[in-house]
Amino acid sequence: MENVLTLITAPARADLDDSTVRRVREALKALGGQVGSPDWLDPGIACDLPFEDISPDTADAAARKALADAGVAADVVAQAAADRRKMLLVADMDSTIVTGETLDELADFAGIKDQIAAITARAMNGELDFKAALRERVAMLKGLPVESLEKCFDRVEYTPGAWELVRTMAANGAYCVLVSGGFKFFTRRVAAHCGFHEDRSNEFILDGDVLAGAVEEPILDRDAKLDSLIALAAERHLPLARTVAVGDGANDLPMIRAAGLGVAFHAKPVVAAEARVRIDHGDLTALLYAQGYRRADFVV
């Protein structure tokens, strides 16, 4: 069939069952289209429902209502079946590939985590200009010993599914790039751990063995993230339909909108409201299920 709707729940719960899938299937059939049989990508976690003669947006809305009526917490991805498997991944780092905000954690070593975290939250929700907010936060870290960077990295925790997402896509021929408004000290280590082919980010300016309180220009921001997606796709002669972009903050929105599969991952309200695809319950393996990968296909 021309379209596919994927239901995904949190792997830790694995509580997606036949009755829930049946309820969503009936909701789609009530729209007058054709709906195929369920195809379990991972029992209890992810299931495909092929359909046609219904628009993906209409199917998405109907599925979400059926889930809400049943009190079931699950994610919905409705899309065209063609070009479902993507060949370029562009991912944000902070609060996406890793669980926290590395700049906020670094500020903890200066005793000002709460102050910087408040600015970060506003910037990620689109309330502040990203470049100005980044310069302000880094200026507050002036004089912090460079050795604090290594101590901060020791605290980094990876989002569940990050390794599987990147390694599985790479093993299937996709090019994977970490594009972050954060800093190279962290992105190059995170990229190496997860298996990204390259990373793009900002650089601290140092004054000997301490931070100088400034960022190298130009700053990588929302426009640079979008430009990276477009340029990387062009270099590989890929239409944007064959790309996936994932992030959580306002500076990720342009690339999320442009990608064939643009995903707001446990995102800030402004991002969740504007992205067509959002993952609120699942982990990063949800992006693999959305592309039709089965659990047996995962690189672990």
Side-chain angles (χ1 to χ4, degrees), residues 18 21-22 25 35-41 47-50:
D18 289 332
V21 173
R22 190 180 310 114
R25 188 168 184 263
V35 185
S37 299
D39 180 10
W40 284 94
L41 304 175
C47 185
D48 274 353
L49 283 171

Side-chain angles (χ1 to χ4, degrees), residues 9-222:
T9 193
R13 293 202 319 268
D15 57 355
L16 189 63
D17 58 22
D18 289 332
S19 65
T20 299
V21 173
R22 190 180 310 114
R23 179 186 290 266
V24 171
R25 188 168 184 263
E26 291 304 314
L28 297 185
K29 289 172 69 175
L31 296 172
Q34 299 184 57
V35 185
S37 299
D39 180 10
W40 284 94
L41 304 175
D42 192 355
I45 297 174
C47 185
D48 274 353
L49 283 171
F51 68 95
E52 58 187 11
D53 303 323
I54 311 167
S55 75
D57 286 347
T58 300
D60 181 283
R64 290 183 186 279
K65 183 179 187 304
L67 291 170
D69 290 347
V72 175
D75 295 310
V76 177
V77 181
Q79 61 186 317
D83 294 328
R84 184 182 183 189
R85 188 72 59 94
K86 309 305 182 187
M87 297 306 295
L88 173 65
L89 167 67
V90 177
D92 172 48
M93 180 179 71
D94 292 315
S95 297
T96 301
I97 296 298
V98 304
T99 60
E101 295 286 334
T102 48
L103 198 60
D104 294 357
E105 291 304 318
L106 185 60
D108 197 27
F109 291 92
I112 53 172
K113 181 177 179 178
D114 289 348
Q115 294 167 254
I116 284 188
I119 300 170
T120 299
R122 294 184 64 199
M124 291 302 97
N125 202 42
E127 299 171 27
L128 300 174
D129 175 75
F130 178 81
K131 290 182 179 180
L134 187 65
R135 293 188 187 104
E136 179 183 1
R137 286 175 289 163
V138 173
M140 295 166 69
L141 297 175
K142 183 177 181 179
L144 188 69
V146 171
E147 64 184 21
S148 299
L149 296 171
E150 196 68 56
K151 293 177 181 177
C152 181
F153 184 72
D154 289 341
R155 295 185 178 182
V156 166
E157 296 183 4
Y158 293 90
T159 301
W163 171 282
E164 291 89 340
L165 169 63
V166 180
R167 300 277 174 170
T168 301
M169 288 191 66
N172 284 273
Y175 194 72
C176 304
V177 185
L178 189 64
V179 180
S180 172
F183 289 88
K184 194 75 173 179
F185 181 91
F186 301 107
T187 61
R188 68 171 174 261
R189 289 164 170 77
V190 170
H193 173 82
C194 293
F196 285 95
H197 294 95
E198 64 174 282
D199 63 293
R200 302 181 180 189
S201 54
N202 293 303
E203 288 275 16
F204 289 113
I205 294 176
L206 304 181
D207 182 7
D209 59 358
V210 300
L211 300 187
V215 187
E216 287 189 8
E217 301 284 345
I219 289 175
L220 192 153
D221 63 355
R222 60 190 289 146

